[in-house]
Amino acid sequence: NAGVTQTPKFQVLKTGQSMTLQCAQDMNHEYMSWYRQDPGMGLRLIHYSVGAGITDQGEVPNGYNVSRSTTEDFPLRLLSAAPSQTSVYFCASSTANQGSIFAFFGQGTRLTVV
Amino acid sequence: SQQGEEDPQALSIQEGENATMNCSYKTSINNLQWYRQNSGRGLVHLILIRSNEREKHSGRLRVTLDTSKKSSSLLITASRAADTASYFCATARQAGTALIFGKGTTLSVSS
């Protein structure tokens, strides 16, 4: 049982390049989310999904796309990378219990855009 | 904008001392959670307190919630060096869809 797996762990991109950050969970959770973490800013929600085929925007969605074709996978796409997207990205998988959501996090992807 | 704001941003204490960090939030909530993040790692759930609870304990953790002031506090008693980490409060975004986190408190416990 791996939990939440993010790949790659590290990535360097040139401005304008595109890439996909992968996230997979094996806990059969309905909810999945992407966050970015920047110094002094905490975690900010980029996009989230409440089930296969359903996604919605978070606090900072610009420059990112997501899709949820299966329960297990929730990839995050950067269409044209910008230096402002240099950050640590975390994927979370969540389950609801008695009206409360509990999140399980991956180990993060450290992205640098030069 | 972020729902929760932790205070202080950074806290340095000696082993054996208690550590208290606070969280303020903006809208009504069903529950509030605290998470911990060790350096370079993902967040890990610590404790949840529901809106109808005032206080909750889990081991050396004590959480309080004051819904009238829209604030919560996390107390770690008898701190250890291993408690060194960042601590975040989180609330659910709109009827339990995705969690919104505060900016966190960085705790450093020295031996």
Side-chain angles (χ1 to χ4, degrees), chain A residues 32-99:
Chain A
M32 296 186 75
S33 308
W34 276 102
Y35 297 87
R36 61 177 289 173
Q37 185 174 28
D38 303 292
M41 297 297 294
L43 276 80
R44 291 182 290 171
L45 180 65
I46 304 172
H47 286 285
Y48 65 97
S49 169
V50 299
I54 306 170
T55 63
D56 205 349
Q57 295 181 349
E59 303 167 283
V60 288
N62 292 340
Y64 308 95
N65 278 355
V66 292
S67 60
R68 184 100 180 268
S69 57
T70 67
T71 300
E72 294 79 17
D73 300 300
F74 191 43
L76 178 71
R77 296 183 186 85
L78 283 70
L79 302 178
S80 178
S84 61
Q85 293 179 305
T86 293
S87 187
V88 181
Y89 291 85
F90 287 98
C91 177
S93 169
S94 305
T95 183
N97 185 347
Q98 297 182 335

Side-chain angles (χ1 to χ4, degrees), chain B residues 2-24:
Chain B
Q2 285 165 299
Q3 167 76 309
E5 292 288 339
E6 288 88 347
D7 170 61
Q9 289 187 355
L11 181 60
S12 293
I13 60 174
Q14 299 285 321
E15 266 193 329
E17 294 181 337
N18 295 341
T20 300
M21 49 207 89
N22 305 295
C23 168
S24 60

Side-chain angles (χ1 to χ4, degrees), chain B residues 28-46:
Chain B
S28 61
I29 59 171
N30 291 326
N31 61 74
L32 183 142
Q33 304 181 45
W34 285 89
Y35 283 76
R36 164 190 170 131
Q37 182 183 35
N38 287 350
S39 181
R41 308 295 296 270
L43 279 70
V44 175
H45 173 81
L46 289 177

